[in-house]
Amino acid sequence: MNKVITEEEFLSSYNIHEFDIPLTSVDMAIFTVIDQQLKALLVKRSQHPAKGEWALPGGFINIHEDKSLDDTVRRKLAEKTGVDTSHLEQVQTFGNAMRDPRGWSVTIAYMALISADNIQLIADESSEQVEWITIENNQHLSLAFDHNDILNACYKRLKSKVQYTSLPINLLPATFTLTELQKTFEIILGSSIEKKSFRKRLLDADIVVETGDFRIGSNRPAKLYKAKKSGKEHLFPRSIQGSK
Amino acid sequence: MNKVITEEEFLSSYNIHEFDIPLTSVDMAIFTVIDQQLKALLVKRSQHPAKGEWALPGGFINIHEDKSLDDTVRRKLAEKTGVDTSHLEQVQTFGNAMRDPRGWSVTIAYMALISADNIQLIADESSEQVEWITIENNQHLSLAFDHNDILNACYKRLKSKVQYTSLPINLLPATFTLTELQKTFEIILGSSIEKKSFRKRLLDADIVVETGDFRIGSNRPAKLYKAKKSGKEHLFPRSIQGSK
DNA sequence: ATAATAGTGTCTTTCAGACAATATCGC
DNA sequence: GCGATATTGTCTGAAAGACACTATTAT
């Protein structure tokens, strides 16, 4: 005979420690551009499992400290870079019985875009080394767990978005020239973009404004721009092609 | 003094039941088109918590039965509809301290597209009722937990993808006319599409083939098509606009 | 003046939108 | 033939690509 119980009674007798449930973590690909190359942040693990192997920054949700997944991710980002980010995006969640030797586990993968300016990388007790590594097409890295797959998924998302959004603007410092911005797009896209098309697209989109200053070199000075902070990324009506 | 231990030793002493970790589940928006309307499958919960409330189908990962998240989702889908799906897509993962009264919880949200043909809905011990409900813009539903947000995220993804992919093809039966396909796109898009543009776009994309058969009515018979099974969804070079 | 990079003018190409014209069925 | 829906022809327009041209600085 089933006694009908209230939700309150149900909850008071509910104890998650009795269940076999998956471990849940977050991992992130933190992207930036340094020396004309796309880089992602990797850490060398100083703890078991996969001790000594390179991996994406990440870790378990602290259910007492974090109010939401976003909190967890921003906490991890700050631990390694000391900065917040202008663009944080959930990419994909990976979960299966095999990916972690501790058991069935789930990880929610994010990508963050930051400007490399003024970043000091921070090692801590969980990672003995922290480094920017160059990301290229068809590259083989031997990362811990399934972090290769995760990094690839994030890279793929970034490459896809460069074609129809203004997202790569978040990889640059606060002010930049249109040529610098174009170069950033090209680095991610992996091919060159026609200058006039790029500039028209961008200026028509009304997502950048002139600062009034110029970048001075040994040639014609370039107008400096900054991103209009509308909050949301601009979607272009057509996707951009590489050229030539 | 820290004794250096091997990964094997580390793992043998590792017990997840000792940790405070979030609950992890999957939830899914199963979409179909019935009577010229977009529908999603909802279940009425027969168990605590949120007993008696309407919710998206879903549930906990069974770490003994499921090898991966995909297995969990397909198991849930089959439990309610008895079918597999031609399109299953991870949409977004929701996780915070508040969404479930049992504690910090994470849910990985999926959307599935199925053809309504030959579907028999199945109630079971976790759901006393299973029903297709019509999805509309700006609609207010009072679903259990944060399932309103989840359903909205899935609906938004679907609406977005109708503009630049061939995805809605998965909502139709195996064979269909171009007019039927266009109507399906229009239902999701919420506005009409110019006939010639739609047909050109589709036929140029080379994603459907004529079956050779016709749909007979009291007018000119319409060619029947089926989807070429290339495995991946086609991306159109420009997004489609509503017209008129 | 020259080198170098910034920025523009303009023609072409591609593909969606508008809308009318034609085709083919049952009746 | 008529009504209904399927299918096609063709013009327009918007935005990207090609590519040559002009502009502005330091040296």
Side-chain angles (χ1 to χ4, degrees):
Chain A
M1 292 262 280
N2 274 329
K3 182 172 168 297
V4 175
I5 62 167
T6 65
E7 177 157 331
E8 218 168 272
E9 288 165 340
F10 165 82
L11 289 173
S12 70
S13 67
Y14 192 89
N15 177 6
I16 73 151
H17 293 279
E18 291 170 10
F19 299 97
D20 286 337
I21 61 178
L23 287 165
T24 305
S25 58
V26 302
D27 286 302
M28 58 192 315
I30 306 170
F31 290 115
T32 196
V33 171
I34 300 173
D35 295 338
Q36 308 277 54
Q37 291 179 310
L38 181 66
K39 307 268 184 179
L41 194 69
L42 291 185
V43 301
K44 194 167 185 179
R45 294 177 57 84
S46 59
Q47 310 277 348
H48 287 303
K51 185 172 172 175
E53 294 180 47
W54 288 92
L56 294 172
F60 293 115
I61 296 161
N62 181 329
I63 69 172
H64 304 296
E65 214 173 298
D66 306 322
K67 285 207 169 53
S68 69
L69 283 177
D70 233 60
D71 286 352
T72 309
V73 182
R74 288 186 190 277
R75 180 166 59 80
K76 297 286 169 192
L77 177 65
E79 280 173 11
K80 300 300 174 198
T81 67
V83 299
D84 200 356
T85 178
S86 45
H87 184 82
L88 186 64
E89 173 174 343
Q90 198 184 283
V91 175
Q92 195 185 328
T93 298
F94 295 77
N96 61 57
M98 310 299 300
R99 56 178 304 277
D100 190 305
R102 285 165 289 195
W104 224 107
S105 89
V106 169
T107 196
I108 302 117
Y110 284 78
M111 79 177 177
L113 306 185
I114 67 177
S115 157
D117 283 23
N118 310 314
I119 298 285
Q120 285 294 341
L121 300 184
I122 306 161
D124 58 20
E125 76 279 357
S126 72
S127 49
E128 57 195 47
Q129 264 180 279
V130 185
E131 264 176 36
W132 291 113
I133 59 113
T134 302
I135 302 296
E136 280 158 359
N137 257 326
N138 310 316
Q139 151 177 265
H140 183 71
L141 293 168
S142 295
L143 303 185
F145 311 113
D146 55 356
H147 286 198
N148 253 312
D149 297 337
I150 298 176
L151 180 55
N152 277 333
C154 293
Y155 180 41
K156 193 176 153 201
R157 170 74 63 92
L158 179 61
K159 279 188 72 161
S160 156
K161 282 206 149 184
V162 71
Q163 294 178 51
Y164 60 93
T165 76
S166 58
L167 197 125
I169 221 170
N170 295 298
L171 291 165
L172 290 175
T175 66
F176 47 85
T177 68
L178 291 189
T179 302
E180 288 162 1
L181 184 55
Q182 179 175 343
K183 194 82 192 112
T184 302
F185 273 71
E186 289 175 338
I187 288 164
I188 298 169
L189 192 59
S191 63
S192 59
I193 300 171
E194 209 289 319
K195 182 165 52 168
K196 188 68 193 293
S197 311
F198 180 79
R199 296 168 95 95
K200 186 152 200 320
R201 216 171 129 95
L202 238 107
L203 295 174
D204 286 356
D206 194 36
I207 52 181
V208 293
V209 274
E210 299 179 16
T211 65
D213 296 328
F214 289 83
R215 172 134 305 153
I216 311 294
S218 65
N219 47 32
R220 176 172 174 174
K223 283 181 183 169
L224 282 169
Y225 291 82
K226 62 182 175 186
K228 268 195 185 176
K229 45 185 174 305
S230 74
K232 50 183 182 178
E233 72 204 26
H234 181 79
L235 292 174
F236 295 106
R238 304 190 200 172
S239 68
I240 207 163
Q241 315 293 330
S243 72
K244 285 170 214 166
Chain B
M1 292 260 279
N2 273 331
K3 179 171 173 296
V4 175
I5 63 168
T6 65
E7 175 155 332
E8 220 169 89
E9 288 166 338
F10 166 82
L11 290 173
S12 71
S13 67
Y14 192 89
N15 177 5
I16 72 152
H17 293 281
E18 291 170 8
F19 299 97
D20 286 337
I21 61 178
L23 286 165
T24 306
S25 58
V26 301
D27 287 301
M28 58 193 313
I30 307 169
F31 290 115
T32 195
V33 171
I34 300 173
D35 296 339
Q36 307 278 54
Q37 292 179 310
L38 180 67
K39 306 268 184 178
L41 194 68
L42 291 184
V43 302
K44 193 167 184 178
R45 295 178 56 83
S46 60
Q47 309 278 348
H48 287 303
K51 185 172 172 177
E53 293 181 46
W54 288 92
L56 293 172
F60 293 117
I61 296 162
N62 181 328
I63 71 172
H64 304 296
E65 213 173 298
D66 306 322
K67 287 207 168 53
S68 69
L69 283 177
D70 235 59
D71 285 353
T72 309
V73 181
R74 289 186 189 277
R75 180 166 59 81
K76 297 287 170 191
L77 178 65
E79 281 174 10
K80 301 299 175 199
T81 67
V83 298
D84 201 356
T85 178
S86 45
H87 183 82
L88 187 63
E89 173 175 342
Q90 200 182 282
V91 176
Q92 193 185 328
T93 298
F94 295 78
N96 60 57
M98 308 300 299
R99 56 178 302 280
D100 190 304
R102 284 165 289 194
W104 225 108
S105 88
V106 169
T107 196
I108 302 117
Y110 283 78
M111 79 175 175
L113 306 185
I114 66 177
S115 156
D117 282 24
N118 310 314
I119 298 285
Q120 284 293 341
L121 301 182
I122 306 162
D124 58 20
E125 76 280 355
S126 72
S127 49
E128 58 195 45
Q129 263 180 280
V130 185
E131 262 176 38
W132 291 113
I133 60 112
T134 302
I135 303 295
E136 281 158 358
N137 258 327
N138 310 315
Q139 153 177 263
H140 183 71
L141 293 169
S142 296
L143 302 186
F145 311 114
D146 54 358
H147 286 198
N148 253 312
D149 298 335
I150 299 176
L151 179 56
N152 277 333
C154 293
Y155 179 42
K156 191 175 154 201
R157 170 76 62 91
L158 178 61
K159 278 189 72 164
S160 156
K161 282 206 149 184
V162 71
Q163 295 178 50
Y164 60 93
T165 75
S166 58
L167 197 123
I169 220 169
N170 295 298
L171 291 165
L172 290 175
T175 64
F176 47 84
T177 68
L178 291 189
T179 303
E180 288 162 0
L181 184 54
Q182 179 175 344
K183 195 81 193 111
T184 302
F185 273 71
E186 290 174 338
I187 287 163
I188 298 167
L189 192 59
S191 63
S192 58
I193 300 169
E194 209 289 318
K195 184 164 49 171
K196 186 66 192 294
S197 311
F198 180 79
R199 296 168 94 94
K200 187 152 198 321
R201 218 171 128 95
L202 239 108
L203 295 174
D204 287 355
D206 194 37
I207 51 181
V208 292
V209 274
E210 299 180 15
T211 64
D213 297 328
F214 290 82
R215 174 134 306 154
I216 311 292
S218 63
N219 46 33
R220 177 171 175 175
K223 284 181 182 169
L224 282 169
Y225 291 82
K226 61 182 175 186
K228 269 195 184 174
K229 45 185 174 304
S230 74
K232 52 183 182 178
E233 71 203 27
H234 180 79
L235 292 174
F236 295 104
R238 305 189 200 171
S239 69
I240 206 164
Q241 315 292 331
S243 71
K244 286 170 212 167

